[in-house]
Amino acid sequence: MSSDITHPVVRPRRLRTTAALRRLVAETSLEARQLVLPVFVREGLGDSEGPRPISSMPGVVQHTRSSLLAAVTEAAELGLGGVMLFGIPEHKDAEGTGAVDPDGILNRSIRDVVGEVGDALPVMADLCLDEFTDHGHCGVLTGDGRVDNDATLAIYAEMARAQAAAGVDLVGPSGMMDGQVGVIRQALDGAGHTDVAILAYSAKYASAFYGPFREAVDSSLQGDRRTYQQDGANAVEGVREALLDVAEGADLVMVKPALAYLDVLRRVRDAVDVPVAAYNISGEYSMLEAAAANGWIDREPAILETLLSIRRAGADVVLTYWAAEAARLLAR
Ligand code: PBG
C-alpha cells in the first residue's frame, strides 16, 4: 500500500469520527449485568442508628438489616449481575463460630436477601473466616500460630452447607486454603445442594490495596496473609491456582485484586473454560475516590474507564463498589 509522509492511505482515525461510529466498532462492552455489588452488613446495627459510613471508602457503608434490603432491591432493579454479602459479627472467637451458626449475621442476611430478591438477582456470599475470627486470619490456627489448612477446610465445608441452607446461589471461597473448592463442592453435593455454584477466589494476591476493606469489616488482623495469599511476583502461579480450582469444580474463577493484576487476569481468561471474575477491591476504589474528592480527576469517566479496563483484560464479571452507580451511568 502506497503512502507518503503527508498523505497516509491507512487511517484508523476514520472509525473514530463520530460517537455512533465509535460505538459500532467498540470491542469491549460494559453492562450492568456484568457488575456485582459487594455489600457489608453489621450485626446489631439498629435502624434507628442507620447505616454506618466506612471512612476510608466514601459512599460505602456497613448496612443495617433494612438498608441492606433496600440496597439489594435497587441492585435487582438496576439489573446488576449479583450481590456479594459480607457479614460483620458482634462477637468473634478463635474458631470463627459465627460463620457456621445458622443464625450468624451472614447466614441470616443471606436468608433475608434471598427472601427479598428471589431469583431476580444472584446472591453470593463470602466464604471465609476472617470476619469471624478474633485473630483475623482466614482460617483456624495451630498451637504455634500458623494457619491450619486442613482443619480450616472442615469448617469451610460446614460454612458452605450453612450458606446453602440459607438459600445462597453462589458461595465465594476467599481464604486461599489448598483444596477448598473440592471440599466445598463435596460438602454441598453431599447435602443435596448440587445447584449451588462456586465462585472461587482462585488467584488472590497478598495486597496492600485491601487496606480500606479491613476497616469495612472491622478486621482484627495483626500481621499479614502471606503464607496463604499469593506473592505479587507470580503470574504463572495465578494460572496454576485457577486451573486447580476448575479441576476441583469451580463454576467461575476470580482474580483479585484487579488493577495491579490485569496481566494475570488476561492469562487466566486465556487458560480456563469457565467465566472469569475480577474484584475491583477497596483500595482501588478509595484511590480514585480520594483523587476525585481533591478535584484531581474527573470521577465518573474515571470509574467507567477503570471498569472497562478490567473487562478488556479478560473479566466476564467485575465485582465493584461502584456497581450500582456505574449501572446508572451506563443507562444515561
Ligand atoms: C477475605 C476477603 C478480603 C477481601 C474480600 N474477601 C480481605 C483480605 O483478603 O484481606 C478484600 C476486598 C476488598 O479489599 O475490597 N474474606
Side-chain angles (χ1 to χ4, degrees):
M1 210 171 275
S2 84
S3 72
D4 60 44
I5 288 164
T6 50
H7 298 293
V9 169
V10 181
R11 294 180 185 270
R13 286 187 54 192
R14 217 175 266 136
L15 294 179
R16 301 174 200 146
T17 313
T18 65
L21 265 171
R22 293 193 291 274
R23 188 179 61 211
L24 171 71
V25 299
E27 297 171 33
T28 308
S29 71
L30 187 60
E31 302 169 43
R33 69 177 180 95
Q34 299 154 343
L35 306 177
V36 171
L37 179 68
V39 285
F40 304 104
V41 55
R42 184 188 183 94
E43 187 169 35
L45 195 58
D47 284 335
S48 53
E49 205 179 335
R52 186 179 292 188
I54 299 162
S55 63
S56 57
M57 300 178 72
V60 181
V61 299
Q62 295 178 340
H63 280 290
T64 66
R65 183 178 179 202
S66 65
S67 74
L68 172 68
L69 295 183
V72 299
T73 300
E74 186 196 30
E77 285 165 2
L78 288 166
L80 294 188
V83 287
M84 172 66 79
L85 304 184
F86 293 92
I88 303 142
E90 250 169 341
H91 305 289
K92 306 182 185 194
D93 58 30
E95 271 78 47
T97 48
V100 299
D101 179 352
D103 292 319
I105 181 64
L106 184 53
N107 295 322
R108 221 189 315 138
S109 301
I110 292 169
R111 218 171 276 119
D112 272 355
V113 166
V114 171
E116 187 80 4
V117 300
D119 287 342
L121 182 74
V123 176
M124 316 175 185
D126 190 49
L127 201 166
C128 190
L129 290 180
D130 64 316
E131 286 92 32
F132 297 94
T133 52
D134 52 16
H135 45 73
H137 277 293
C138 295
V140 290
L141 305 182
T142 60
D144 56 0
R146 286 173 299 132
V147 175
D148 187 334
N149 193 89
D150 296 9
T152 300
L153 292 183
I155 301 175
Y156 285 178
E158 202 181 335
M159 195 174 177
R161 283 189 293 262
Q163 294 187 351
V168 83
D169 297 307
L170 298 99
V171 295
S174 64
M176 289 300 282
M177 296 301 121
D178 291 337
Q180 62 186 13
V181 172
V183 163
I184 289 167
R185 185 71 271 160
Q186 263 190 308
L188 290 170
D189 290 354
H193 299 295
T194 51
D195 285 342
V196 172
I198 301 176
L199 164 55
Y201 288 60
S202 300
K204 180 172 180 183
Y205 290 87
S207 172
F209 294 100
Y210 299 144
F213 178 92
R214 306 266 162 94
E215 182 200 341
V217 300
D218 291 1
S219 173
S220 323
L221 184 70
Q222 307 282 324
D224 60 53
R225 307 196 198 282
R226 291 187 178 277
T227 69
Y228 43 107
Q229 295 181 346
Q230 287 182 255
D231 183 340
N234 299 349
V236 171
E237 188 190 44
V239 175
R240 181 187 190 207
E241 288 278 9
L243 291 172
L244 275 170
D245 282 357
V246 171
E248 289 178 30
D251 299 284
L252 300 89
V253 294
M254 194 199 289
V255 174
K256 178 183 179 183
L259 295 181
Y261 298 87
L262 293 178
D263 58 325
V264 179
L265 181 54
R266 169 46 57 193
R267 289 197 199 200
V268 167
R269 176 57 290 172
D270 290 344
V272 301
D273 55 4
V274 297
V276 175
Y279 199 139
N280 177 214
I281 62 161
S282 57
E284 301 170 348
Y285 173 91
S286 301
M287 282 194 297
L288 195 154
E289 289 290 343
N294 275 292
W296 296 339
I297 200 168
D298 191 358
R299 187 174 171 280
E300 292 178 356
I303 290 171
L304 294 178
E305 185 176 339
T306 296
L307 298 177
L308 188 67
S309 79
I310 298 169
R311 287 267 305 131
R312 193 189 62 240
D316 303 292
V317 172
V318 184
L319 284 79
T320 173
Y321 301 99
W322 289 305
E325 181 173 1
R328 274 185 240 108
L329 293 175
L330 292 168
R332 276 215 297 239

